[in-house]
Amino acid sequence: MRSLKQLFAAKLFNRNLLTKLRASRIVFTPLLAIIIFTLAIGIILGTLQMQERSQQENALFRELSFVKQRIQLRFLTNSEALVAMSQELAKANTDNNAQVKVLKQAEAFVANNHEISQLIWFNENNLRQWMIPLPSQATDWFDQSPNAETIERQLKRAIILSRETNRPAYSEIISLQSNTDQPIPLERQTVFWQTVPTTIEGEGAGILAVLYSAHGILEYIIPTELKSQYRFTLLNYSGNVLAISSDRNTPTRALSNETSLELGAFSPTLILKVDTYPPPTNLTFRMLLGVVIGLSAFVIWSLWSVLKQIQARNKIETNLRAETSFRSAMEDSTPIGIRAHDMEKRITYVNRAFCEMVGYSSEELIGLVPPFPFWPADKHDQLGTNMERVLQEQNHQLMKAGIEGELQRRNGVRINTRTYAAPLLNEKGLQTGWVTSITDISEPKKIREELTATQERFVTVLEGLDAAVSVVSLETGKLLFANRFYRQRFGPTEKGHISLNADEMSPHVIHDMKDDSVDVFAGLPESEFNQNTGSDSHEVQLMDGEPSWYEVRGRYIPWVDGHLAQLLIATDITLRKQAEDLARQQDERMQFTSRLTTMGEMASSLAHELNQPLSAISNYCMGVAKRLKTYSDSSLIAELMPALEKASAQALRAGTIIQRIRDFVKRSEPQRKSCDIAQIIGNAVDLLEIEANRHRFSIVAEIMPNLPRIELDPVLIEQVLVNLLKNALDSLRDAYPLPSRWSAPPVKITADLDPETYPTALRIQVTDAGSGIADAVIQRMFEPFFSTKDDGMGMGLNICRSIIESHHGRLWAKNQLDPEHARLFGCTFTILLPIELSENLSENHDDPKQYPENQSS
């Protein structure tokens, strides 16, 4: 009994302490609100003052911009007037009346512009002609030392700059000093020159020099009303004060702004600064602040009077709190959850046990209406029906037995419960709602936790695999499971599974399997299916993004819901495939090298074997020619001798070509000599002109006159041109049928100098109007053994490029388009050969900056 009394005494002490704390909170909460209100008003007033300051800064910037524009406009107007005056002075050089008129204009100009201290006219020989004010009116500050030397030096510098640029120029800022005890007036302390040159028919006719006063700019250009409100200062680029509009001091809180002042081209760097004078005292702001403080004090006094009434009320509420606390302690001590509803089924009360049961706080639950957040989403209808049955007052049997249900905690865990209900009556006996009690009847948690842990370990192992594991349902075609590797490579959908399975699991295949009246797996026991069905393995290449290879193994398994599913395990074997491709490419290169070696040996053998018959043919032709000369029939000799001489020359030429090819295969240098490229092109055209006429085509040569002679091997270069012309004729023969060949454009061969290369190179171009060359072919057509002809060996263009490169030149091809750029219209082969072969060119003949290579590739 004593311990029970001590317990109740402790509870009562806690309740009293809580009551005092609540009373203090009731008193200090309004006080805190008043303090916050006062701070808010202070912030608002501060914000208003900041806005006012921002408006003053904007007004200051506008006034500064206005003054800047006014000064720049005055200097621009003065410059234009000085230019016009200097032109009139130059024209009136010999006319005295005109000079007098201009002199009067100058005097009026100086009188109207008080910022100008001196105006001087210099003739074309830089001799002073006259000045305003007149020399008799000048003072010591201008003509006497030490100011005269400084002024004269800066004047000469400005004149020289004007002469060189033929534009108005400015001198540097000149700070004058007094040579007496008398101070220099403000108008003369800081000055600078502006010189305006005059030209007549392109020749200098004189210069008009004007001396500006820095103080005069502020004094006479800036309006008086602005100077009364602001203080303007002219500064140089170092920040030194040149002139100031007023010596009146400004307070530390005054606003300030500055901007650069550009008077024109070659003008000194000046900075225009403006400062504000202090504004008058803001009486409205102070009155408003006083009213706020007074109202705050009045409210605090009102709260003090209300405190006594609150203390009296607290005594009455203490007993009620004690009884309420006792009831709450009893409700919180029970492990059964209690929930109260009003007549609209709105939750009005929950105890601590129910909050712990569902994982929500009382503040989150009170006021909610069905469906509640602790109801599972898939059982809203069922639980709503159960609640209607429990809350029926007349069903007493059901209220005693209760009804089973299921609740979902905040963390997603579901628990099985049994719910009891009773009507809630007020003091008048009227029902105002229901009170329900909920008991947890869930299965033991240990079994569920063990199952969950087992599943997490299994998923962890699958997530750590370096292979994609995926399971897809055969019934729906949806992805049932995918590990981390699969999600990173293929995303969270079943598309990657279908791609790895070579599209055997596409949606239409699954639909056909589902609608098939014959079950392909019928009659096969599940145990037999799992034991005897092995996994198949195949390799799949995926082209999504970068090509990748996977080794895929799959099998059919029953899923946890009893339906059949397909399991795939895909291992990335891209690196292995790349290694195999690299080995295959190395093998192909070895075979290619072997073919080149064999071809070189064959070329050497053919050259050796053909030299003897060609020499015999040449000797026979020369012998027949000598025998014919002994005959007296001149007509016969005239008819046969040219043919025999040409046959002998061609036999000799063929032998030379074979010898050059043999030497080329042996990597020997070409036999260069000074040649006329026009003669080489003419020989090549003569060789193919008969074949071109036979196929109803023509060849046109356009050669720039007076081309320089070039060091090259004429036989090899002629062989290259013959090969290119023959290819052009073949392209025309494929593009034009026989009846329309006479209308085909001719094959054109041109020779000129390429001005875009350095050093200048000889450019030879062979152009046809055929069907062009495909992009895939134009990138490989210079490779050995690559040919688009059925009977071609694929060495012609490769040998041509090798010959040109052995001459330190370049050979490439480029397709031509028709005027509408709609289709290919022929191709142009371009050869660049250096005219002067220097040592630097020989050592760096592979420099792509000198001669451009194949632009198409």
Side-chain angles (χ1 to χ4, degrees):
M1 291 295 292
R2 181 175 297 177
S3 60
L4 185 61
K5 290 181 180 180
Q6 291 177 354
L7 179 63
F8 276 107
K11 289 184 177 180
L12 183 60
F13 175 78
N14 292 334
R15 293 193 189 100
N16 294 333
L17 182 61
L18 182 63
T19 301
K20 294 180 180 179
L21 292 175
R22 290 178 178 175
S24 301
R25 184 178 64 184
I26 294 174
V27 174
F28 289 109
T29 298
L31 181 60
L32 181 62
I34 293 301
I35 295 174
I36 294 174
F37 171 76
T38 305
L39 292 176
I41 293 298
I43 292 173
I44 292 174
L45 294 177
T47 304
L48 293 176
Q49 189 173 8
M50 290 177 62
Q51 290 180 353
E52 183 179 359
R53 184 178 180 88
S54 177
Q55 292 176 358
Q56 292 177 357
E57 290 177 351
N58 293 335
L60 182 65
F61 177 77
R62 289 194 300 270
E63 299 297 343
L64 179 62
S65 300
F66 169 75
V67 171
K68 176 182 177 180
Q69 293 177 0
R70 185 180 179 92
I71 294 174
Q72 291 178 343
L73 181 61
R74 173 67 68 88
F75 270 83
L76 179 61
T77 304
N78 290 351
S79 297
E80 293 176 353
L82 291 172
V83 170
M85 193 182 302
S86 63
Q87 292 290 338
E88 293 179 4
L89 283 171
K91 294 178 181 179
N93 190 17
T94 58
D95 190 351
N96 295 329
N97 295 330
Q99 289 182 358
V100 172
K101 180 180 179 181
V102 174
L103 189 59
K104 291 181 179 180
Q105 291 179 0
E107 292 176 352
F109 176 78
V110 173
N112 294 330
N113 295 274
H114 300 285
E115 69 274 11
I116 296 177
S117 300
Q118 199 75 31
L119 190 149
I120 305 175
W121 168 250
F122 295 91
N123 62 7
E124 63 275 8
N125 297 322
N126 292 338
L127 297 178
R128 184 184 301 179
Q129 299 294 313
W130 50 263
M131 59 185 299
I132 297 175
L134 297 176
S136 59
Q137 302 173 359
T139 57
D140 296 340
W141 71 273
F142 183 78
D143 289 327
Q144 296 182 3
S145 177
N147 298 327
E149 297 177 358
T150 304
I151 294 174
E152 188 69 17
R153 183 173 60 255
Q154 293 297 333
L155 176 59
K156 290 181 179 180
R157 185 174 299 175
I159 291 174
I160 293 173
L161 183 59
S162 296
R163 293 288 190 187
E164 292 178 352
T165 60
N166 198 22
R167 296 176 59 184
Y170 292 83
S171 69
E172 296 179 358
I173 302 298
I174 306 171
S175 298
L176 302 181
Q177 300 177 358
S178 176
N179 55 355
T180 63
D181 295 335
Q182 297 296 329
I184 298 178
L186 293 175
E187 291 83 3
R188 303 173 185 174
Q189 289 181 357
T190 306
V191 295
F192 59 92
W193 287 101
Q194 180 189 14
T195 56
V196 179
T198 303
T199 57
I200 297 178
E201 297 180 357
E203 298 293 331
I207 289 181
L208 195 62
V210 179
L211 184 66
Y212 280 98
S213 170
H215 181 77
I217 295 174
L218 301 181
E219 181 69 21
Y220 302 108
I221 298 179
I222 301 177
T224 305
E225 59 271 19
L226 291 181
K227 291 188 291 184
S228 63
Q229 298 177 6
Y230 306 101
R231 186 182 71 179
F232 294 89
T233 307
L234 270 180
L235 309 172
N236 60 7
Y237 66 93
S238 300
N240 299 325
V241 176
L242 302 179
I244 190 168
S245 62
S246 174
D247 55 355
R248 178 182 174 187
N249 294 327
T250 57
T252 56
R253 60 187 180 91
L255 300 179
S256 176
N257 201 344
E258 63 182 24
T259 182
S260 61
L261 185 61
E262 298 177 359
L263 305 179
F266 311 107
S267 64
T269 302
L270 297 178
I271 298 176
L272 179 62
K273 183 179 178 182
V274 60
D275 299 292
T276 61
Y277 294 118
T281 303
N282 194 343
L283 183 60
T284 303
F285 176 79
R286 295 185 178 182
M287 292 179 60
L288 183 59
L289 183 61
V291 170
V292 171
I293 295 175
L295 290 177
S296 300
F298 177 78
V299 173
I300 293 174
W301 177 81
S302 300
L303 290 175
W304 178 260
S305 62
V306 174
L307 177 60
K308 295 181 179 180
Q309 299 179 4
I310 294 175
Q311 291 177 350
R313 181 179 298 177
N314 288 337
K315 293 180 180 179
I316 300 174
E317 294 178 350
T318 300
N319 296 330
L320 181 60
R321 290 194 189 97
E323 183 179 355
T324 303
S325 300
F326 182 79
R327 187 194 66 179
S328 299
M330 292 182 60
E331 293 173 352
D332 293 338
S333 63
T334 179
I336 299 175
I338 299 176
R339 186 175 75 231
H341 298 266
D342 58 11
M343 299 301 295
E344 288 79 19
K345 303 178 184 178
R346 184 180 290 103
I347 297 178
T348 58
Y349 171 79
V350 290
N351 70 337
R352 184 175 59 186
F354 182 80
C355 293
E356 294 176 352
M357 186 179 300
V358 297
Y360 292 91
S361 63
S362 59
E363 291 80 4
E364 294 175 330
L365 295 176
I366 293 177
L368 298 180
V369 295
F372 301 116
F374 46 81
W375 284 3
D378 55 344
K379 294 187 177 182
H380 282 181
D381 296 338
Q382 178 183 354
L383 293 177
T385 304
N386 293 343
M387 186 174 184
E388 291 288 345
R389 294 171 60 192
V390 171
L391 298 183
Q392 288 179 2
E393 183 182 0
Q394 62 274 15
N395 194 347
H396 299 285
Q397 187 66 27
L398 181 61
M399 294 174 64
K400 293 180 180 180
I403 186 170
E404 291 186 4
E406 189 175 12
L407 299 182
Q408 181 175 346
R409 293 180 176 177
R410 191 167 194 167
N411 58 5
V413 178
R414 298 187 180 186
I415 58 175
N416 296 322
T417 61
R418 184 176 296 276
T419 304
Y420 305 89
L424 180 63
L425 304 177
N426 62 5
E427 69 277 3
K428 297 180 181 180
L430 300 177
Q431 182 178 357
T432 58
W434 294 270
V435 176
T436 61
S437 58
I438 299 94
T439 305
D440 186 1
I441 59 172
S442 303
E443 295 291 334
K445 296 182 180 180
K446 292 184 179 180
I447 300 176
R448 292 199 300 270
E449 292 176 355
E450 292 178 358
L451 293 175
T452 303
T454 302
Q455 181 183 4
E456 290 179 354
R457 287 194 294 269
F458 176 72
V459 172
T460 301
V461 172
L462 292 180
E463 292 289 336
L465 292 178
D466 289 336
V469 180
S470 59
V471 180
V472 170
S473 173
L474 292 180
E475 182 180 7
T476 62
K478 300 297 183 182
L479 184 66
L480 301 178
F481 174 81
N483 68 339
R484 176 187 55 81
F485 191 93
Y486 178 91
R487 295 192 300 271
Q488 290 177 352
R489 294 296 181 92
F490 308 104
T493 64
E494 64 277 357
K495 294 182 180 179
H497 184 101
I498 295 173
S499 300
L500 291 172
N501 204 27
D503 295 330
E504 294 181 4
M505 288 285 295
S506 57
H508 70 276
V509 175
I510 296 174
H511 184 273
D512 295 340
M513 292 173 60
K514 185 176 180 181
D515 296 341
D516 195 354
S517 59
V518 180
D519 186 5
V520 295
F521 302 103
L524 181 63
E526 182 178 344
S527 60
E528 293 294 327
F529 182 84
N530 291 335
Q531 296 176 2
N532 298 335
T533 303
S535 61
D536 58 338
S537 177
H538 61 278
E539 295 180 355
V540 176
Q541 183 183 18
L542 301 182
M543 301 302 295
D544 187 10
E546 296 184 358
S548 56
W549 282 90
Y550 293 90
E551 182 180 2
V552 183
R553 297 181 181 181
R555 64 177 300 172
Y556 294 97
I557 60 173
W559 195 241
V560 292
D561 57 358
H563 294 95
L564 198 61
Q566 186 187 45
L567 168 67
L568 288 184
I569 302 176
T571 306
D572 192 350
I573 59 172
T574 304
L575 295 178
R576 189 182 74 187
K577 285 291 186 180
Q578 291 176 354
E580 293 175 356
D581 292 341
L582 181 60
R584 185 174 61 256
Q585 293 174 6
Q586 294 292 344
D587 189 19
E588 291 177 355
R589 291 191 183 97
M590 292 179 63
Q591 296 178 9
F592 169 73
T593 304
S594 178
R595 292 172 62 189
L596 282 179
T597 304
T598 303
M599 182 179 178
E601 295 175 355
M602 293 174 60
S604 179
S605 299
L606 287 174
H608 178 72
E609 295 297 333
L610 292 178
N611 273 332
Q612 293 181 359
L614 287 175
S615 299
I617 293 173
S618 177
N619 293 333
Y620 288 141
C621 290
M622 294 301 295
V624 172
K626 291 181 179 179
R627 293 289 299 273
L628 283 176
K629 291 180 180 180
T630 59
Y631 287 92
S632 60
D633 190 353
S634 58
S635 61
L636 180 61
I637 294 174
E639 183 177 357
L640 295 180
M641 282 298 293
L644 290 175
E645 290 176 355
K646 288 184 179 181
S648 178
Q650 292 302 320
L652 181 60
R653 177 180 174 277
T656 306
I657 291 173
I658 293 174
Q659 184 62 34
R660 293 292 188 272
I661 293 176
R662 181 181 180 184
D663 295 340
F664 178 75
V665 171
K666 292 181 179 179
R667 298 184 179 270
S668 62
E669 289 294 328
Q671 299 181 4
R672 297 185 180 88
K673 62 181 180 179
S674 179
C675 301
D676 184 6
I677 193 63
Q679 182 178 358
I680 297 175
I681 294 175
N683 294 338
V685 172
D686 292 341
L687 287 177
L688 290 177
E689 191 169 13
I690 298 176
E691 183 179 355
N693 294 332
R694 182 166 58 87
H695 292 289
R696 300 183 181 180
F697 295 124
S698 60
I699 302 175
V700 176
E702 296 180 0
I703 303 173
M704 177 185 289
N706 300 324
L707 286 176
R709 299 180 67 85
I710 185 171
E711 293 289 334
L712 48 79
D713 191 323
V715 177
L716 292 182
I717 298 300
E718 183 178 339
Q719 185 64 25
V720 171
L721 297 180
V722 169
N723 197 347
L724 296 181
L725 289 171
K726 188 175 182 303
N727 289 342
L729 292 174
D730 293 341
S731 177
L732 287 178
R733 188 170 57 184
D734 295 337
Y736 291 90
L738 186 61
S740 61
R741 287 183 179 176
W742 286 114
S743 61
V747 175
K748 183 184 294 184
I749 179 170
T750 62
D752 57 2
L753 297 179
D754 186 9
E756 297 181 359
T757 58
Y758 180 80
T760 306
L762 176 65
R763 179 174 58 188
I764 305 173
Q765 291 183 322
V766 178
T767 306
D768 63 78
S771 56
I773 304 175
D775 292 339
V777 176
I778 205 169
Q779 295 179 0
R780 299 189 55 194
M781 64 184 191
F782 290 103
E783 296 179 3
F785 305 111
F786 178 81
S787 176
T788 57
K789 301 178 183 179
D790 296 336
D791 55 348
M793 293 182 60
M795 292 300 297
L797 289 177
N798 178 263
I799 292 176
C800 290
R801 171 173 276 190
S802 300
I803 291 173
I804 296 301
E805 289 180 351
S806 68
H807 287 76
H808 306 287
R810 291 290 181 266
L811 168 63
W812 72 89
K814 183 177 181 181
N815 284 319
Q816 306 294 330
L817 298 176
D818 60 349
E820 289 78 13
H821 295 275
R823 63 183 181 87
L824 295 179
F825 190 71
C827 181
T828 298
F829 282 82
T830 302
I831 299 173
L832 285 184
L833 293 172
I835 296 177
E836 296 181 359
L837 188 62
S838 63
E839 295 181 359
N840 186 29
L841 180 60
S842 301
E843 295 175 357
N844 304 282
H845 63 274
D846 292 331
D847 187 4
K849 297 180 181 178
Q850 293 180 342
Y851 304 105
E853 295 196 13
N854 189 349
Q855 302 296 328
S856 301
S857 59

